[in-house]
Amino acid sequence: MDAISTAAHRGQTLIEEAELTQRQLVQLDYFSAPESLQPYATTLFHFRCDEQNIRDVQPAGVGYLYFFLRGVGKMHFPGGISDPSHPVCLLTPTSVAVPFDVDGPFYAIGAALLPRGWAAFTGLNATEHGNRMYNAADWLGPDIVALSDRLRAAYAADAMSPEAMCAEIASFIAARLRPINRRHDALMTQITNWLSSSLDPPLDALIDQSGYSDRQLQRLVERYYGVTPTQLVRKYRALRVAALLQSPDTSEEQIAGLLNLFYDQSHLIREIRLFAGRTPARLGDSEQPILDALLDIRNFRQITPGLAAIPED
């Protein structure tokens, strides 16, 4: 068992024991990021569930800025770490699927940040700070607290629509983006193109394109993505295959082709379970709305802009 799989063992056990919140009890709406913010954020969202106890799993992924408008909860990370929620949270990039539970009702809004956006907005090293949920006030200062207070008050008074609130969040992020090293920024574009070239792209191709040594490349990928290049391929391959498997537009022929990306069916099941939080047999399970929504194909457009195998809406 590799290091990622071993570290995730406790988290996977918690996922198996959780009773998932039913689909019909959850509302999750997406809003497109402004065009100028799209290189930094995939989407903005509004989550609502009126249940008293909410349990589900979030697939491995990018960093998030979360505003808890109502409800308190915990996320359970590899190594037995459980972080509590705060009025506004930074969910750092995650290397594996992570379960969470919330004492509801639970209402939240926020933004999903691409690696470039995470670096420019937070400045946090994705490896040193990965797999955690932080109090955003500790890292972003009093301005984020003021925004959180204003949004919570507006939401409670029904004085602002979720879409308008997300627009404010987008403006807040855009105004605080810091410059990134130009070569590092170019590398992230190369990584996007590399991941887009195949569901199993060869590492040598990225090394050749980047102009960095193997060791330099590994250090930079860990800094911005929170995992090694090899682990990055595994993570996005599993998530993209999971998205395709749960998409009604994926043909039987495509599904058969996806199986060839893994040693055998058991390998496919282990990888998707590790990174998506469920086995392939449960990807279409009607009782996992949060997983379904977070694996929605639109979440991969900024990651895989040229991948023809992934259908557009």
Side-chain angles (χ1 to χ4, degrees):
M1 186 179 291
D2 59 43
I4 284 184
S5 301
T6 300
H9 178 70
R10 174 178 167 81
Q12 293 296 336
T13 300
L14 287 168
I15 291 171
E16 292 172 353
E17 293 173 351
E19 181 180 352
L20 302 178
T21 301
Q22 296 179 5
R23 174 190 297 272
Q24 64 267 26
L25 301 175
V26 173
Q27 175 185 331
L28 182 56
D29 300 314
Y30 284 106
F31 306 104
S32 297
E35 185 174 356
S36 62
L37 194 61
Q38 289 178 9
Y40 302 94
T42 60
T43 188
L44 295 108
F45 57 86
H46 171 228
F47 179 97
R48 177 167 181 158
C49 181
D50 288 311
E51 291 297 288
Q52 296 299 311
N53 299 289
I54 298 117
R55 293 180 177 177
D56 220 298
V57 56
Q58 178 149 322
V62 297
Y64 287 82
L65 177 65
Y66 271 109
F67 292 79
F68 275 59
L69 302 172
R70 188 174 179 185
V72 294
K74 287 185 178 180
M75 296 201 81
H76 308 285
F77 299 99
I81 296 172
S82 293
D83 285 333
S85 66
H86 302 274
V88 56
C89 299
L90 280 175
L91 174 60
T92 70
T94 50
S95 59
V96 295
V98 290
F100 64 89
D101 51 77
V102 178
D103 294 330
F106 179 32
Y107 309 152
I109 54 174
L113 300 169
L114 289 164
R116 177 184 285 108
W118 178 261
F121 180 58
T122 72
L124 299 178
N125 184 302
T127 296
E128 295 175 4
H129 298 277
N131 299 310
R132 297 298 303 270
M133 185 165 66
Y134 289 149
N135 183 353
D138 293 340
W139 303 95
L140 302 176
D143 288 349
I144 195 72
V145 176
L147 176 62
S148 174
D149 291 344
R150 185 166 69 254
L151 294 179
R152 286 167 67 91
Y155 195 84
D158 199 20
M160 185 183 297
S161 70
E163 185 172 11
M165 296 170 72
C166 284
E168 281 214 27
I169 294 170
S171 296
F172 182 92
I173 294 171
R176 286 158 180 80
L177 296 174
R178 290 169 283 190
I180 298 173
N181 179 289
R182 290 186 179 182
R183 285 197 67 195
H184 297 179
D185 188 84
L187 175 62
M188 283 185 267
T189 298
Q190 291 172 331
I191 290 172
T192 296
N193 293 335
W194 173 64
L195 289 171
S196 301
S197 67
S198 167
L199 284 168
D200 193 19
L203 179 57
D204 287 346
L206 180 60
I207 294 173
D208 292 342
Q209 295 165 14
S210 69
Y212 287 105
S213 69
D214 191 348
R215 185 171 181 177
Q216 288 174 317
L217 181 63
Q218 177 162 319
R219 177 178 58 82
L220 289 171
V221 172
E222 288 178 334
R223 173 178 174 179
Y224 291 108
Y225 293 82
V227 291
T228 67
T230 300
Q231 292 164 349
L232 183 66
V233 171
R234 284 180 60 197
K235 175 171 139 176
Y236 280 111
R237 177 181 62 192
L239 292 175
R240 289 154 65 189
V241 168
L244 289 167
L245 289 175
Q246 67 94 48
S247 171
D249 297 323
T250 304
S251 68
E252 292 297 324
E253 291 77 13
Q254 286 176 307
I255 290 174
L258 295 176
L259 295 176
N260 294 328
L261 296 167
F262 303 88
Y263 299 125
D264 52 31
Q265 189 174 26
S266 295
H267 181 218
L268 178 148
I269 291 170
R270 288 195 305 271
E271 290 290 280
I272 291 181
R273 184 181 184 185
L274 178 64
F275 296 107
R278 286 292 181 270
T279 63
R282 296 201 62 190
L283 287 175
D285 191 328
S286 63
E287 294 185 355
Q288 50 181 16
I290 298 167
L291 179 66
D292 288 349
L294 291 171
L295 288 179
D296 191 293
I297 209 69
R298 82 192 75 191
N299 290 335
F300 297 90
R301 286 184 178 159
Q302 293 291 332
I303 299 296
T304 59
L307 190 63
I310 295 183
E312 295 285 334
D313 290 337

